[in-house]
Amino acid sequence: MVNFLAPVYLSKQLYPQLKASENARVVMVSSAAHMMGKIKKDDPESRKKFKHIKAYSNSKLNILLATKLLANDWANDNIIVNALHPGVVNTSLFDKFPGFLKRLTKLLTISPKKGAQTSIYLAAEPEGGLVSGKYFAKRKQKRASVRAEKAENIEWISELLNHYLSRIQNA
């Protein structure tokens, strides 16, 4: 849940500064793993049955839904909000893998520098600020999953965010 709530909460906290800026952009890091994500209305925190990859995929789907929601909510404020898949980046995440798998991941992953390219594109390059509420990979707009596009899911994420953000503010 934190994987999804943290960037959305930070973005909402920065809203006054974003609104006051001329060309504000919010870049959310999602993942192609969102394609495996599911809407868990009955268990958004995966408390009943937790599996790492499913929770990760669900959080990345939730980030895409929140991207759409914020892009819609902030459209009249000239705030651009987009999400991206950075690629499978060779980070310390793979350091605990056994020797053979660690060597294999080095062959199948990209460098952090290459993984950052789409984030930089969306945050700083003129073309990266032409659309809002979209999903990108390799510096190009891509189709998100059907679940990430459904209006009923965006409405659900809005309700979920309101619930959790009010709990955070009342804590």
Side-chain angles (χ1 to χ4, degrees):
M1 188 59 74
V2 170
N3 197 23
F4 149 66
L5 278 176
V8 177
Y9 180 71
L10 176 62
S11 298
K12 285 188 163 271
Q13 292 300 300
L14 292 172
Y15 174 75
Q17 291 85 355
L18 293 167
K19 187 176 178 181
S21 298
E22 271 188 41
N23 294 310
R25 298 184 196 184
V26 174
V27 178
M28 300 281 199
V29 179
S30 183
S31 169
H34 87 275
M35 298 283 189
M36 297 181 295
K38 299 225 170 20
I39 302 300
K40 307 265 302 196
K41 291 181 182 178
D42 62 327
D43 188 23
E45 295 178 32
S46 300
R47 289 181 183 227
K48 294 177 185 171
K49 192 174 181 183
F50 184 83
K51 294 199 176 191
H52 290 91
I53 192 65
K54 286 184 178 184
Y56 177 80
S57 299
N58 295 345
S59 74
K60 295 306 181 178
L61 173 59
N62 290 347
I63 286 173
L64 279 178
L65 292 168
T67 297
K68 296 256 182 218
L69 176 68
L70 294 178
N72 291 339
D73 288 352
W74 296 349
N76 293 329
D77 298 320
N78 295 319
I79 301 171
I80 302 296
V81 186
N82 286 305
L84 68 109
H85 168 62
V88 183
V89 180
N90 187 2
T91 65
S92 61
L93 176 70
F94 304 108
D95 287 354
K96 297 197 188 283
F97 280 21
F100 168 75
L101 282 177
K102 192 189 256 186
R103 287 189 298 279
L104 183 62
T105 60
K106 288 203 183 289
L107 295 173
L108 301 175
T109 57
I110 60 175
S111 70
K113 183 177 181 178
K114 192 167 184 181
Q117 295 305 303
T118 304
S119 294
I120 293 166
Y121 170 79
L122 291 173
E125 293 187 23
E127 306 84 37
L130 296 177
V131 296
S132 191
K134 303 299 180 188
Y135 172 65
F136 288 79
K138 296 182 179 177
R139 299 173 48 114
K140 295 196 180 336
Q141 189 176 324
K142 303 288 183 180
R143 281 188 67 121
S145 71
V146 172
R147 288 183 202 97
E149 301 288 339
K150 283 189 173 179
E152 67 190 54
N153 293 340
I154 296 168
E155 179 63 32
W156 173 76
I157 211 71
S158 176
E159 293 168 11
L160 187 70
L161 276 170
N162 289 335
H163 170 74
Y164 283 106
L165 295 179
S166 68
R167 285 178 61 189
I168 291 168
Q169 289 172 342
N170 294 328

